[in-house]
Amino acid sequence: MPLNTIALELVPPNIDRGADHARDEAHKVLQLSAEAGIAGRIGHVMIPGMIPEDDDRPIEMKPKFDVSDFWSVIHPELPRVHGLCTQVTAFLDESALRSRLTELGRAGFEGIIFVGVPRTMNDGEGGGVAPTDALSKFDDLVANRGVILIPTRDGEQGRFDFKCDQGATFGMTQLLYSDAIVGFLRGFAQSSDHRPEILLSFGFVPKLESRVGLIDWLIQDPGNAAVAAEQAFVRNLAASEPDIKRRNLIGLYQRVIDGVAELGYPLSLHFEAPYGVSKPAFDTFAEMLAYWSPHT
């Protein structure tokens, strides 16, 4: 069954901040949801499994809560909200990965997105289970098996089709800062019989992005003109006044929804505030939901 959900991404906090900070984050989500008029509409929290990546990451990676530990702290504070997470598979052998997935299932995660090695490594490195192999090896253990979908990446049509052949039930897009996903899904519908659920990812861009560049770093793909255009859009958003920023983000959301709604894919939403949840982010997400949501 499709997840049919609105998922909010919450990054595990640094361990040195302690469990009280994690609980405060859950309370903040409840407060901001209520203030934005979307109380009770978030169906899942999506928790990424964080691993060290490139040395040039704009925000230093410090030791963070494990996905399961973070969820155990915030879950009691978020009534009727379920869990999704990403799991890096490439550094665990089959036995260790099965144990990990069993643990996540018992903790209450309803879907797991299998991801591979960091950008500093090549596919196949890591010594563990490849994400595409995990999709089929653990279909008895994980009902909702997800993959990352990057519509601007070269060769992604064939890559995504293979992942669906292997057993992916849903794809969560990279943060969308163009409507490239529309053409991608239209083309995929013409070339493949697979109709996995698609979690469309939209991210708020605060003014801080102009100084830090975290979103620019997250979506980078050197030499890719389509991504360069998205990076330019992000820079413009970061430098814009709040009302212009919101209008441009809502416009993008509408173009994406209008373009993919009739293509035959089950659709869910994934909202992300890469610099942390905030009132402007929630107000923007609420306006998006007023236009379309999985439950309308």
Side-chain angles (χ1 to χ4, degrees):
M1 292 291 293
L3 294 165
N4 190 39
T5 194
I6 299 163
L8 174 69
E9 181 158 325
L10 289 181
V11 175
N14 297 342
I15 291 174
D16 59 12
R17 292 191 168 187
D20 286 344
H21 174 80
R23 273 186 286 270
D24 288 344
E25 283 294 289
H27 298 158
K28 189 175 182 181
V29 167
L30 294 177
Q31 177 186 343
L32 292 171
S33 297
E35 291 176 355
I38 56 172
R41 299 189 67 181
I42 295 172
H44 288 80
V45 165
M46 205 300 288
I47 306 175
M50 305 291 285
I51 60 171
E53 293 198 57
D54 308 9
D55 291 337
D56 64 346
R57 190 179 193 272
I59 297 178
E60 181 186 359
M61 271 284 292
K62 296 182 179 179
K64 293 185 176 295
F65 271 76
D66 178 74
V67 164
S68 184
D69 293 337
F70 181 43
W71 177 240
S72 71
V73 173
I74 65 173
H75 189 204
E77 314 299 323
L78 298 171
R80 297 180 298 279
V81 175
H82 305 284
L84 304 173
C85 68
T86 64
Q87 174 61 51
V88 177
T89 67
F91 303 114
L92 298 173
D93 63 26
E94 185 170 343
S95 176
L97 185 55
R98 180 169 290 275
S99 296
R100 172 64 170 172
L101 297 177
T102 300
E103 172 195 348
L104 293 172
R106 287 174 178 166
F109 286 94
E110 291 191 341
I112 299 175
I113 301 155
F114 298 121
V115 297
V117 296
R119 286 178 291 207
T120 51
M121 300 175 66
N122 296 317
D123 288 344
E125 295 182 355
V129 180
T132 49
D133 292 336
L135 292 167
S136 56
K137 286 181 182 292
F138 303 108
D139 59 350
D140 61 328
L141 195 60
V142 182
N144 297 304
R145 301 174 303 281
V147 296
I148 300 297
L149 170 58
I150 305 177
T152 53
R153 183 165 56 179
D154 186 48
E156 190 75 346
Q157 293 263 354
R159 186 182 290 107
F160 190 51
D161 192 55
F162 178 66
K163 290 175 179 179
C164 291
D165 286 341
Q166 289 293 98
T169 64
F170 70 95
M172 184 176 77
T173 71
Q174 187 182 51
L175 284 170
L176 301 176
Y177 290 110
S178 75
D179 57 6
I181 187 66
V182 176
F184 178 93
L185 289 178
R186 186 179 293 126
F188 192 77
Q190 294 171 351
S191 63
S192 173
D193 292 331
H194 292 297
R195 296 296 181 273
E197 184 170 12
I198 306 297
L199 273 65
L200 299 167
S201 300
F202 297 92
F204 184 72
V205 182
K207 191 173 185 178
L208 186 60
E209 170 67 15
S210 293
R211 181 165 58 84
V212 178
L214 176 61
I215 298 172
D216 183 89
W217 181 85
L218 287 170
I219 67 174
Q220 67 176 306
D221 187 7
N224 187 325
V227 174
E230 292 186 340
Q231 290 173 305
F233 181 66
V234 169
R235 287 192 293 272
N236 287 334
L237 287 172
S240 297
E241 293 300 316
D243 59 333
I244 297 174
K245 178 188 305 183
R246 185 181 302 182
R247 185 163 63 245
N248 286 335
L249 280 170
I250 300 302
L252 169 63
Y253 181 81
Q254 292 172 341
R255 291 196 303 276
V256 170
I257 294 299
D258 291 348
V260 304
E262 305 302 326
L263 294 178
Y265 300 91
L267 298 176
S268 283
L269 296 174
H270 168 234
F271 289 146
E272 185 175 348
Y275 290 88
V277 295
S278 66
K279 186 179 188 323
F282 268 71
D283 287 344
T284 300
F285 297 153
E287 194 167 338
M288 290 176 173
L289 293 177
Y291 184 77
W292 181 90
S293 87
H295 308 135
T296 57

